[in-house]
Amino acid sequence: MSSMQQVTPGVSLTTQVTEMLRAAITSGEMTPREHYSAIGLAERLGVSRTPVREALQLLEKEGIVRIEKNRGVRVLQISLDEIVQIFQIRIILEPPAAARAAEVVTKDDLEHFRALHGRILDAAADDDGPGTLQADKEFHLFLLGLAGNQRLSALDSELRNLVLAHGLVTIPSVRSSQDLADDRRDILEALERKDPQAASAAVREHVTRTARLLITGVCAKTPGLSADAYLAKLEQLTKFRG
């Protein structure tokens, strides 16, 4: 199904348009090779130009697109060096937040985690790459939200948005639904035991594994580009533990 679906009445148009454009970028429907106009995008979505322009401005602030005068909008291509740097930051920040989440998680929180995990598996089973990535993002942002640091959650969300377009390299062609289930089982079990150290270790391993798969997948699609140097760069900061 196309990411450019019609909007739903009663919900902020800017919010809906922003998510639809982000999904279109994630799925490859909007590519760095093309220029897009606010008018053209508005027509495809069946809305006025105002929410589209506002959505594009938000995406530009996130570093996902660039608005070029008299040329329209272009999707930005993030480099592998930037991907490595983003995952270095995530590997440093997310494990201690997961540890704190394990200390405060409630039964209701655990039920919500299971529901979010189910959404990841359902999307993967339906071969819905963008849906899988979105559900994965919601799972991790809920986890980080329990740490009680809004700036951390906002930063992590921004970092995730920057690499979403590349995330499809690992979903679902490289990872089956069972892989996705196993990839979060340790996180869920650690939360259920309210074990901070185990939660920290599980999240660190999960994010590191995702980074390696993503780097390897991007390099595999680029003839002559070796993943070894980028994987080594990933370890330069992340090999140190607090």
Side-chain angles (χ1 to χ4, degrees), residues 141 144 149-159 161:
L141 289 181
L144 295 182
N149 188 316
Q150 293 183 354
R151 287 186 179 273
L152 172 61
S153 296
L155 174 59
D156 194 81
S157 178
E158 180 181 343
L159 294 175
N161 287 339

Side-chain angles (χ1 to χ4, degrees), residues 4-150:
M4 296 291 194
Q5 303 175 46
Q6 295 296 303
V7 297
T8 302
V11 181
S12 166
L13 282 178
T14 299
T15 299
Q16 289 188 79
V17 171
T18 301
E19 292 307 313
M20 287 181 180
L21 294 179
R22 185 179 285 119
I25 293 168
T26 300
S27 68
E29 190 175 344
M30 293 178 64
T31 72
R33 297 185 298 273
E34 303 289 337
H35 280 83
Y36 301 91
S37 70
I39 296 175
L41 293 172
E43 290 177 349
R44 293 174 69 179
L45 292 172
V47 299
S48 67
R49 282 173 282 180
T50 298
V52 173
R53 286 173 175 162
E54 291 174 348
L56 292 172
Q57 288 171 355
L58 290 172
L59 293 175
E60 185 176 44
K61 288 181 180 178
E62 294 178 6
I64 297 175
V65 304
R66 181 167 64 223
I67 301 173
E68 301 177 347
K69 188 175 182 180
N70 299 323
R71 298 194 67 188
V73 176
R74 189 165 69 86
V75 176
L76 294 180
Q77 182 73 49
I78 188 171
S79 70
L80 265 177
D81 279 322
E82 290 173 308
I83 289 175
V84 169
Q85 292 169 19
I86 286 169
F87 273 99
Q88 284 178 332
I89 295 170
R90 285 188 54 197
I91 292 168
I92 291 169
L93 294 180
E94 292 187 24
R100 174 56 181 162
E103 289 183 330
V104 301
V105 68
T106 67
K107 290 183 179 180
D108 288 342
D109 293 332
L110 289 171
E111 285 301 315
H112 190 56
F113 274 122
R114 296 185 189 104
L116 290 173
H117 188 218
R119 286 181 53 196
I120 296 172
L121 300 184
D122 289 342
D126 290 339
D127 199 25
D128 180 2
T132 304
L133 290 172
Q134 181 60 34
D136 174 75
K137 176 182 175 181
E138 291 177 13
F139 179 95
H140 286 280
L141 289 181
F142 184 68
L143 175 63
L144 295 182
L146 294 181
N149 188 316
Q150 293 183 354

Side-chain angles (χ1 to χ4, degrees), residues 91-92 95 199-209 237-242:
I91 292 168
I92 291 169
S200 175
V203 166
R204 180 187 177 93
E205 176 60 27
H206 168 71
V207 178
T208 300
R209 183 163 50 247
L237 284 181
T238 59
K239 65 183 178 182
F240 299 106
R241 297 174 185 266

